[in-house]
Amino acid sequence: MAIFLDVRQDRYRAMSWECARPLVCAANTPIPPRIADRARDLGWIVEGSSGGARQPPDLGPAEEIDPAIVACRSSGLGVAGAWWLLGAIRFRLATQPLERILTTASAANRKVGSATLPCWSTIAPTLAAFRSAERYVLARNTCLLRSLALHEALARRGVAASLIFGVKLQPFEAHCWVQHGRTLLNDTVERTGLFVPIRVVQ
């Protein structure tokens, strides 16, 4: 069984591995017509494209953030900014399709560039502000809202992070989190290790 995030329909879809294999495992192998037709109906293949498959994301082993960074204190202005951004993202999720939201997030990263060395002097206070804000305004099952807001806050400060979507089966559950390289910014190795990444927004 393979799970896909259908951003056009704002939902996850399951497909048998027999059908999914050509879509995810062989970038240069033509997709059988019946599978290509189904993928085209779902909007996964656009007319005029080669129909080639995409490799699943290979992130390597994740690592915990340095405890010294976690211990950074937040400012009142930073917490207020985090509250505002959480509210703005909540409104977007209620009024915009996920495809548009993720396209915007990816575009914000492209403006920042792809620096490989994290600027912890920028990241640390941003994380601290979101930890303080989330403690008062969010329930625990709001990973998409939390991660989208943090991702945008970092991009506004010149840090290009990755937004990761993962799933697990039996029972099915979806999750998302933010990383910089292999460093988890708003989650733990124990928690994210339960999920298989299926989409990365960079």
Side-chain angles (χ1 to χ4, degrees), residues 11-25:
R11 60 175 293 182
Y12 289 88
R13 293 185 183 273
M15 183 180 290
S16 71
W17 182 239
E18 177 187 4
C19 293
R21 186 190 298 273
L23 294 172
V24 299
C25 288

Side-chain angles (χ1 to χ4, degrees), residues 9 24 37 41 46 49 56-57 59 114 121 124 147 153 178 183 195:
Q9 299 297 323
V24 299
D37 289 343
D41 290 342
V46 297
S49 71
L59 302 174
S114 57
S121 62
S147 295
V178 179
T183 304
F195 299 88

Side-chain angles (χ1 to χ4, degrees), residues 2-202:
I3 306 295
F4 295 87
L5 174 57
D6 186 343
V7 296
R8 292 190 174 183
Q9 299 297 323
D10 292 5
R11 60 175 293 182
Y12 289 88
R13 293 185 183 273
M15 183 180 290
S16 71
W17 182 239
E18 177 187 4
C19 293
R21 186 190 298 273
L23 294 172
V24 299
C25 288
N28 298 317
T29 300
I31 301 174
R34 66 184 180 87
I35 298 176
D37 289 343
R38 177 58 174 159
R40 193 173 289 110
D41 290 342
L42 293 171
W44 297 354
I45 297 177
V46 297
E47 296 297 339
S49 71
S50 63
R54 294 182 178 180
Q55 294 289 343
D58 181 14
L59 302 174
E63 53 190 39
E64 299 277 358
I65 196 169
D66 189 323
I69 296 171
V70 176
C72 177
R73 301 186 65 178
S74 59
S75 67
L77 184 61
V79 174
W83 277 338
W84 182 90
L85 194 50
L86 286 164
I89 296 297
R90 189 189 297 273
F91 178 77
R92 287 182 213 168
L93 287 170
T95 59
Q96 297 180 15
L98 184 59
E99 181 181 30
R100 179 177 175 185
I101 293 172
L102 297 186
T103 299
T104 300
S106 184
N109 265 11
R110 288 197 297 272
K111 291 181 180 179
V112 171
S114 57
T116 57
L117 294 177
C119 181
W120 294 116
S121 62
T122 299
I123 294 175
T126 305
L127 296 181
F130 272 83
R131 283 196 303 272
S132 297
E134 292 166 3
R135 189 177 300 124
Y136 299 104
V137 300
L138 294 181
R140 296 188 63 183
N141 60 343
T142 52
C143 61
L144 180 59
L145 170 58
R146 293 170 54 244
S147 295
L148 283 169
L150 176 59
H151 186 272
E152 180 166 328
L154 291 170
R156 290 184 177 192
R157 290 162 175 78
V159 177
S162 298
L163 182 66
I164 318 294
F165 290 84
V167 297
K168 72 179 185 70
L169 301 176
Q170 298 178 351
F172 175 79
E173 185 179 353
H175 189 46
C176 66
W177 62 92
V178 179
Q179 291 183 204
H180 191 289
R182 293 185 176 182
T183 304
L184 297 166
L185 299 184
N186 67 339
D187 218 318
T188 65
V189 169
E190 180 181 11
R191 173 64 172 159
T192 60
L194 299 174
F195 299 88
V196 176
I198 63 170
R199 188 182 182 99
V200 180
V201 177
Q202 296 177 313

